[in-house]
Amino acid sequence: MASKTDPESENDAEGGQHGGVQSVDRALAVLEILARDGHAGVSEIAEEMGIHKSTASRLLGALVTREMVHQNSERGKYQLGFGVLRLASSIPGRLSLVREARPVLESLAEQFKETVNLAVLRSNFAVNVDQAMGPSSLATYDWVGSLTPLHATSSGKVLLAALSVEERDRILKETGLQARTPRTITNRNKLEAQLLEVARQGYGLALEEFEIGLNSVSVPVHNHMATVIGAVSISGPAFRFDPEKEPGLLEAAKQAGVQISAKMGYTRTRPSDHPHG
């Protein structure tokens, strides 16, 4: 935490060019605190930023005027306002998931020497929209543009697990649970139980369920509305690639999902911010 400065020196600094930049920096810091914590009071913000309450109050007042921040009348705490949403709403359409994800996919492929794919939901299937090949990848098949069944792939399971029960039911009724290999899950109850695990643990597995000799693990990618918009998968030959036993792989895959999600505007809140029930 920064040390608190004298209020008068703060006022003087804010009067010049350097002070203007400092004020902008502090205002952005306030927004980041509120985005992370959900809500905070003047004292909490001042304490974390190492500034006086009067300075924090002025910053909040300016942000309230611009509708970037809203004060909760019941508790007197501040939270992000509709102005932030207004600005953010113009961004998603300009962000390319493939462009933002590409360096993360390449890094993951280089780290684990396997094939990394980015998939999205299209017409009841998972379609791979980008691929990065690791230096040790045995497969040379280009999966980009390929439609794969949701129930038999790790990416598909991640995408299915994020859907509402109604939407998932509609898709699976239309597509069926066809067996790709003897290991493909074709029982709806068994699949639903696995999807619950996918949602709980934050990753999905497909162990020779799409193709004999091929294992894969996938993690979700979220957008600014916390909606799952894609899945990043790492796949490799079953004889050497066991996702749950590969040191550091699951954590690295999850971190890759978090990195891409952050580029798409997703901000994770702390679990304590959510009410229990």
Side-chain angles (χ1 to χ4, degrees):
M1 184 183 72
S3 60
K4 293 181 182 177
T5 56
D6 178 74
E8 298 215 358
S9 64
E10 286 187 311
N11 290 336
D12 291 339
E14 288 172 0
Q17 183 176 4
H18 172 73
V21 173
Q22 184 184 54
S23 295
V24 171
D25 184 66
R26 285 174 170 173
L28 292 174
V30 170
L31 294 176
E32 288 175 350
I33 291 171
L34 295 179
R36 183 197 67 205
D37 295 347
H39 53 74
V42 176
S43 297
E44 296 168 272
I45 292 171
E47 181 69 19
E48 177 161 344
M49 294 178 61
I51 59 178
H52 285 268
K53 285 178 63 176
S54 59
T55 303
S57 183
R58 285 199 305 275
L59 290 169
L60 286 163
L63 290 169
V64 167
T65 300
R66 293 283 184 174
E67 297 184 323
M68 297 293 127
V69 166
H70 168 74
Q71 186 174 21
N72 187 313
S73 58
E74 293 181 4
R75 292 178 296 173
K77 294 200 171 186
Y78 293 85
Q79 59 193 50
L80 293 180
F82 288 110
V84 173
L85 184 60
R86 185 174 62 245
L87 293 178
S89 64
S90 66
I91 297 174
R94 299 172 188 161
L95 288 179
S96 165
L97 176 59
V98 172
R99 183 182 69 245
E100 298 298 332
R102 184 67 193 177
V104 181
L105 303 185
E106 291 178 341
S107 176
L108 207 55
E110 175 66 28
Q111 182 178 356
F112 292 99
K113 320 300 182 189
E114 302 291 0
T115 303
V116 179
N117 280 290
L118 176 67
V120 298
L121 182 64
R122 288 287 186 276
S123 302
N124 297 349
F125 293 91
V127 59
N128 291 293
V129 293
D130 200 12
Q131 177 176 283
M133 302 290 289
S136 300
S137 299
L138 296 181
T140 57
Y141 184 77
D142 185 357
W143 289 100
V144 176
S146 298
L147 296 175
T148 56
L150 295 170
H151 69 291
T153 59
S154 61
S155 292
K157 291 177 185 178
V158 165
L159 296 171
L160 273 178
L163 297 176
S164 67
V165 174
E166 294 77 16
E167 182 65 7
R168 186 159 66 238
D169 187 57
R170 180 194 65 77
I171 289 176
L172 295 179
K173 281 182 177 178
E174 290 180 6
T175 61
L177 299 177
Q178 296 181 346
R180 290 284 308 216
T181 77
R183 300 198 63 172
T184 305
I185 297 175
T186 57
N187 179 276
R188 179 64 184 273
N189 290 334
K190 186 175 179 181
L191 177 63
E192 288 292 345
Q194 192 170 104
L195 294 179
L196 286 174
E197 276 296 288
V198 171
R200 182 188 65 81
Q201 62 195 11
Y203 65 89
L205 295 172
L207 306 178
E208 299 188 274
E209 296 169 48
F210 176 66
E211 183 180 301
I212 290 295
L214 181 68
N215 288 346
S216 67
V217 61
S218 185
V219 298
V221 174
H222 299 82
N223 67 5
H224 68 296
M225 297 294 288
T227 301
V228 173
I229 57 171
V232 175
S233 66
I234 309 173
S235 58
F239 73 85
R240 75 171 183 218
F241 184 69
D242 185 335
E244 292 188 301
K245 293 182 180 178
E246 184 78 22
L249 184 138
L250 289 178
E251 186 56 39
K254 289 181 179 180
Q255 186 57 37
V258 169
Q259 285 180 306
I260 300 170
S261 297
K263 291 183 176 185
M264 300 308 294
Y266 176 60
T267 302
R268 290 190 300 178
T269 55
R270 300 178 303 179
S272 59
D273 291 332
H274 298 285
H276 297 288

